[in-house]
Amino acid sequence: MKSRTTEIQRPQLADVADRAGVSLATVDRVINRRKGVKDRTRRHILDVARDMGFLSAEDAELYGAVRPLNVTVLLPAGTNPYLRLLGARVKGRIGQSGVNDPFLRCFFIESFNAAALVKALHKNADWSDGIIFFAIEHPEVRDAAAEIAASGTRLVTIVSDLGNSPEVSHLGLDNRAVGRTAGLLIGRLAKTTTGSVALVAGSRHYRAHSEREAGFLSILDEMFPDLRVVGMREGHDDAAENYRHALDLFEQVPDLVGIYNVGGSSGGITRAICERQREELVFIGHGLTPDTRRAMLDGTVDAIFDLDPDTLIDRAIQLLSLPVCRPRPLKLDIYFRENLP
C-alpha cells in the first residue's frame, strides 16, 4: 500500500504541463483523450508523463497508440421502449469495448425539446470526434449542427434527420415508403373497405414521423379512398398519452377500423385496445421490444416495423469515418406473429 507521503508526492497534471512546456488544458485533453491536440504534442506530453511517473510505461504506450474516435450518442428520454433498448445496447458496448474501439458515451436528453438538444450538442462537441443523435427539425438545431460541423465534429442523425443540412450525415429508413407500407397493410387487413383509420405520432417535429404520415395518406388516397383518415394525434412517444388518445378515439370515432402508431410506446394503445375489447382493430406500430412482442403473440398488434438497433449503431459509427453523407436507407424489418425472431 502506498504511503500518504508517496501519494502527496505523486506528480499532478500541473506538474506534467510545467515540465512539458504546455498549458494545463492541453495536458488535460491528452489524458482525457479529447480531440484538438497535434499528434507530436500528444506524444511529447505522454513521454513527459511517463518519465515523471504520472503514467506507467504500459499506460503511456496505450495512450500513445492511434487514438480511437470519441463518439457521443444523444437519445431522447422518456418511456419509448425502443429508445431505451437502443440506449442499453450503446451502454453495453461501452463496457465491452476493446483498445481500438471508439470511446462511446451515451446520454438521454429531454424529448421533443429543441433547446435541450442544442445545449447537449454544444456541450459534447468539444470532447467528441463525432455525435450521433435523433434530430428535431428546428431552426436552432440546424444552426447548431452547422456550427459544430464547421468546427470539425462529424454529425450523424439516426432515424429522423434535419432535411436540407448537407454537412450532417443521416442514417435511417425511407420513411415515406414506411408510411405507405403501413397504409397498404391496414387497407388490406381491415375487415371492411369503409370506415376510419387513425394515426398517432410522437411529434411532427420529428421529420421521420411527418414523412411516415405523408406516405400513409398518399397510399390511402390512391388505393383505399373509402377509408377516412382521422387527423394525426401527437402522443410524444409516451405510453400514458397514447393510452388517452386511444380511449378518445374509441369514444369519438365509432367506425374506427385501424390505428397506425407512427412513433413509439405502443404499449399505451395496446392497453386501451385490451381494456375496451377492440381486438378487431388493425394495429400497426414500430419497434420490436418485449411489450410489442407480447402484444403480437396475443393478437393485439398485427404488425411491427423494426430497425435493428445493433445494425443502426454499427452503421452510424462507421458513417462517422466515411465521406458519404447520404448512404442508402436501411432495411425495414416487418414482423408478424408468425415470423417473430
Side-chain angles (χ1 to χ4, degrees), residues 68-136:
L69 294 176
N70 291 338
V71 178
T72 299
V73 181
L74 302 177
L75 299 175
T79 63
N80 186 327
Y82 178 79
L83 295 181
R84 293 162 77 174
L85 173 63
L86 186 60
R89 296 290 177 83
V90 175
K91 291 183 177 181
R93 291 177 180 227
I94 294 173
Q96 299 171 4
S97 59
V99 174
N100 296 318
D101 293 328
F103 293 99
L104 287 172
R105 302 196 304 191
C106 182
F107 301 107
F108 284 88
I109 60 175
E110 185 179 349
S111 302
F112 312 104
N113 186 326
L117 177 56
V118 168
K119 182 178 179 181
L121 287 169
H122 280 299
K123 180 178 179 180
N124 288 281
D126 181 59
W127 178 85
S128 306
D129 297 294
I131 301 176
I132 300 167
F133 67 104
F134 268 63
I136 298 173

Side-chain angles (χ1 to χ4, degrees), residues 248-284:
D248 288 342
L249 285 167
F250 298 158
E251 294 293 331
Q252 299 168 12
V253 188
D255 64 342
L256 188 68
V257 298
I259 300 176
Y260 171 36
N261 183 18
V262 175
S265 294
S266 290
I269 299 174
T270 58
R271 174 188 167 196
I273 290 174
C274 292
E275 287 183 1
R276 297 301 169 90
Q277 298 182 344
R278 296 297 302 272
E279 288 82 359
E280 82 283 356
L281 290 172
V282 180
F283 180 37
I284 295 174

Side-chain angles (χ1 to χ4, degrees), residues 221-242:
D221 182 60
E222 293 170 22
M223 296 185 61
F224 308 101
D226 294 327
L227 289 177
R228 180 177 68 91
V229 180
V230 180
M232 187 164 78
R233 301 179 179 220
E234 297 186 357
H236 302 99
D237 286 350
D238 180 82
E241 283 193 56
N242 285 347

Side-chain angles (χ1 to χ4, degrees), residues 7-34 45-46 48-49 52-55 63:
E7 290 291 339
I8 293 174
Q9 293 176 347
R10 184 177 183 274
Q12 303 298 308
L13 282 179
D15 300 319
V16 176
D18 184 62
R19 177 77 65 86
V22 298
S23 69
L24 179 61
T26 301
V27 175
D28 183 72
R29 284 181 178 276
V30 172
I31 298 302
N32 288 289
R33 300 179 185 269
R34 292 200 297 272
I45 291 171
L46 291 173
V48 170
M52 293 181 66
F54 183 86
L55 292 176
Y63 276 81

Side-chain angles (χ1 to χ4, degrees), residues 48-337:
V48 170
R50 181 197 58 210
D51 294 343
M52 293 181 66
F54 183 86
L55 292 176
S56 67
E58 293 79 8
D59 286 341
E61 183 177 354
L62 177 62
Y63 276 81
V66 175
R67 185 177 67 82
L69 294 176
N70 291 338
V71 178
T72 299
V73 181
L74 302 177
L75 299 175
T79 63
N80 186 327
Y82 178 79
L83 295 181
R84 293 162 77 174
L85 173 63
L86 186 60
R89 296 290 177 83
V90 175
K91 291 183 177 181
R93 291 177 180 227
I94 294 173
Q96 299 171 4
S97 59
V99 174
N100 296 318
D101 293 328
F103 293 99
L104 287 172
R105 302 196 304 191
C106 182
F107 301 107
F108 284 88
I109 60 175
E110 185 179 349
S111 302
F112 312 104
N113 186 326
L117 177 56
V118 168
K119 182 178 179 181
L121 287 169
H122 280 299
K123 180 178 179 180
N124 288 281
D126 181 59
W127 178 85
S128 306
D129 297 294
I131 301 176
I132 300 167
F133 67 104
F134 268 63
I136 298 173
E137 194 170 19
H138 190 281
E140 292 181 8
V141 177
R142 283 196 294 271
D143 286 350
E147 179 184 344
I148 291 168
S151 71
T153 299
R154 189 75 186 268
L155 300 178
V156 173
T157 59
I158 54 174
V159 180
S160 193
D161 69 355
L162 284 173
N164 295 324
S165 297
E167 64 280 340
V168 180
S169 302
H170 175 65
L171 191 66
L173 301 169
D174 180 343
N175 286 298
R176 188 176 179 87
V178 170
R180 287 180 63 86
T181 305
L184 178 65
L185 284 176
I186 285 184
R188 295 294 192 193
L189 295 175
K191 293 180 172 59
T192 175
T193 58
T194 61
S196 298
V197 294
L199 294 167
V200 178
S203 170
R204 288 188 178 90
H205 288 301
Y206 280 156
R207 188 180 182 90
H209 292 191
S210 61
E211 288 177 345
R212 291 171 190 171
E213 176 191 21
F216 187 89
L217 295 176
S218 69
I219 198 165
L220 259 67
D221 182 60
E222 293 170 22
M223 296 185 61
F224 308 101
D226 294 327
L227 289 177
R228 180 177 68 91
V229 180
V230 180
M232 187 164 78
R233 301 179 179 220
E234 297 186 357
H236 302 99
D237 286 350
D238 180 82
E241 283 193 56
N242 285 347
Y243 171 72
R244 291 191 292 271
H245 282 316
L247 293 180
D248 288 342
L249 285 167
F250 298 158
E251 294 293 331
Q252 299 168 12
V253 188
D255 64 342
L256 188 68
V257 298
I259 300 176
Y260 171 36
N261 183 18
V262 175
S265 294
S266 290
I269 299 174
T270 58
R271 174 188 167 196
I273 290 174
C274 292
E275 287 183 1
R276 297 301 169 90
Q277 298 182 344
R278 296 297 302 272
E279 288 82 359
E280 82 283 356
L281 290 172
V282 180
F283 180 37
I284 295 174
H286 279 263
L288 184 61
T289 54
D291 64 319
T292 55
R293 175 185 287 272
R294 289 192 298 270
M296 291 187 73
L297 290 172
D298 68 24
T300 309
V301 174
D302 292 279
I304 284 293
F305 295 165
D306 191 56
L307 178 54
D308 179 66
D310 289 315
T311 299
L312 183 61
I313 298 166
D314 285 340
R315 293 285 300 279
I317 292 173
Q318 292 171 7
L319 193 54
L320 289 172
S321 303
L322 298 175
V324 179
C325 283
R326 296 281 162 174
R328 295 182 62 182
L330 296 176
K331 179 175 69 72
L332 171 66
D333 293 322
I334 304 177
Y335 292 109
F336 302 90
R337 182 175 62 182

